[in-house]
Amino acid sequence: MLGNSGGAHPIASAFMGHHGGRSATSPAARAPELFMIDHRSDAELLTAHRLGDATALRELMERYRVPVTTFLVRTVRDRALADEVFVDTFMALHRAAGDYDDQGAFRAWVFRIARNRAISALRRVHERTMRSATRLDEDPEVTGRPRLQLVHGGAGPERSFAAKEQLDRLEGAIGRLPENRRSALLLFHVEGLSYPEVAEVLDVPLGTVKTWIFQARKQLRAELGDQYVEEG
């Protein structure tokens, strides 16, 4: 059993400091906390969370907010849904904190939870869409089908139209990859996980991961032609 007892739920507490939770403490009084760097490892933070440290989970969420959200946006292809799945990921992490084996790679464990939660979320969206479509006789105006979006990184408005067009093509091509190949490619090339870590996240043999990544690269090369360039 986790050491948190009473008070707000740990996930809610973690978000209070980031998503608009108001405090009577003055900005000057909060300043030291804002600039404090937590040097504990991920595994040490998880242990601290299990023992009741209210700041540990917040620190883990902040460390993984960008890489996990980036992965989720490209997996579910909808920013709002990705944000929901990010919270769901750390809810699941909180519930499974006692099951973590500190001999394993923490980063791979987090991404494995995130991918599983993303697949569950997509399944729920699909089921809701199918029920809506059935009830409303496929009326395109009211089927409730979620509008899928891509979030593009980069320099922003000053980026040239040609560069943005190429990026959009790449994002679209990645989005059309089969889910297993897309996840393997993103985890390896974008998130920087090693082949063994990707295999752990996807729960498949190492050889399967290498095959999926090879096939994903081949499909991108076939679709994008000369615009597809591999670095390194």
Side-chain angles (χ1 to χ4, degrees):
M1 182 176 181
L2 297 178
N4 299 290
S5 59
H9 189 283
I11 299 292
S13 298
F15 269 89
M16 284 295 289
H18 184 82
H19 287 290
R22 303 298 181 186
S23 169
T25 308
S26 69
R30 292 199 305 267
E33 179 183 349
L34 293 176
F35 294 97
M36 186 180 301
I37 299 176
D38 196 322
H39 295 286
R40 289 175 291 181
S41 68
D42 294 340
E44 288 171 339
L45 284 169
L46 185 66
T47 298
H49 169 61
R50 291 168 57 186
L51 295 176
D53 183 340
T55 68
L57 186 62
R58 181 187 308 169
E59 175 64 23
L60 283 172
M61 293 178 76
E62 289 307 312
R63 285 185 186 183
Y64 283 92
R65 184 177 303 280
V66 172
V68 170
T69 300
T70 299
F71 171 71
L72 290 172
V73 166
R74 288 184 166 122
T75 299
V76 303
R77 305 188 69 188
D78 182 281
R79 179 54 194 254
L81 182 58
D83 287 340
E84 292 178 15
V85 177
F86 176 82
V87 177
D88 192 26
T89 295
F90 278 84
M91 289 284 287
L93 184 148
H94 163 69
R95 292 191 296 267
D99 299 329
Y100 173 67
D101 176 5
D102 60 8
Q103 300 303 311
F106 185 89
R107 183 179 177 86
W109 185 60
V110 172
F111 276 100
R112 182 174 184 176
I113 294 174
R115 178 178 181 265
N116 289 341
R117 303 317 298 168
I119 290 173
S120 296
L122 287 172
R123 187 178 297 117
R124 290 193 299 271
V125 168
H126 176 72
E127 290 172 353
R128 286 198 301 268
T129 301
M130 293 304 294
R131 285 197 299 269
S132 242
T134 300
R135 285 197 306 269
L136 299 168
D137 297 325
E138 300 291 350
D139 183 342
E141 296 298 321
V142 287
T143 57
R145 182 178 297 277
R147 188 176 70 177
L148 301 180
Q149 300 173 336
L150 285 174
V151 176
H152 305 292
E158 67 275 14
R159 181 172 51 189
S160 70
F161 177 78
K164 182 180 184 305
E165 189 177 46
Q166 289 181 357
L167 179 61
D168 289 348
R169 285 196 65 196
L170 176 60
E171 291 279 12
I174 291 174
R176 287 186 287 276
L177 292 170
E179 191 280 328
N180 52 9
R181 298 180 193 176
R182 181 170 68 248
S183 291
L185 185 80
L186 292 173
L187 289 169
F188 183 75
H189 281 292
V190 179
E191 305 307 334
L193 272 65
S194 65
Y195 281 122
E197 287 175 333
V198 175
E200 183 178 346
V201 171
L202 302 182
D203 196 23
V204 295
L206 181 62
T208 300
V209 165
K210 293 181 178 180
T211 297
W212 284 349
I213 292 175
F214 172 80
Q215 291 171 337
R217 290 169 174 163
K218 183 178 180 180
Q219 183 172 334
L220 292 179
R221 193 178 297 109
E223 183 167 346
L224 299 174
D226 293 340
Q227 290 187 342
Y228 178 72
V229 178
E230 294 183 8
E231 297 181 355

